Amino acid sequence: MDEMRMSLKSKLLCGIVARTISNAVYKAVGQKPVINIKDLEVEMKDGQIKFHINADGQISDKVLYKVNQLIE
């Protein structure tokens, strides 16, 4: 059984992940949110990679309304 677990706290890596999430939200709703990554954990077990991201974000209420309409 191969198992590896890492907790990433590097500002560079957290910035890359935050930018990737921000770009994905921008493509979906048309406005970039502000995202701050607090904690990023990566675990590899039996050839599968699992990750946990603890993040805060800020976006306007108009965009939240638009997302709500997309869900319905």
Side-chain angles (χ1 to χ4, degrees):
M1 273 192 178
D2 293 335
E3 186 172 334
M4 180 176 67
R5 176 177 266 175
M6 291 188 295
S7 181
L8 305 171
K9 300 201 186 248
S10 164
K11 284 187 177 184
L12 176 68
L13 290 175
C14 288
I16 290 170
V17 172
R19 189 173 304 140
T20 303
I21 294 170
S22 179
N23 287 339
V25 171
Y26 177 73
K27 286 180 182 179
V29 297
Q31 186 175 5
K32 282 194 174 189
V34 175
I35 296 178
N36 297 318
I37 304 289
K38 290 183 174 182
D39 189 31
L40 177 62
E41 295 178 5
V42 179
E43 178 181 0
M44 185 173 129
K45 188 174 184 181
D46 296 328
Q48 293 211 347
I49 297 174
K50 296 179 182 180
F51 57 91
H52 173 76
I53 301 172
N54 186 5
D56 286 332
Q58 183 178 354
I59 201 163
S60 72
D61 58 345
K62 294 176 185 176
V63 175
L64 188 60
Y65 179 71
K66 185 176 179 180
V67 170
N68 193 22
Q69 285 182 333
L70 288 173
I71 292 172
E72 293 175 353

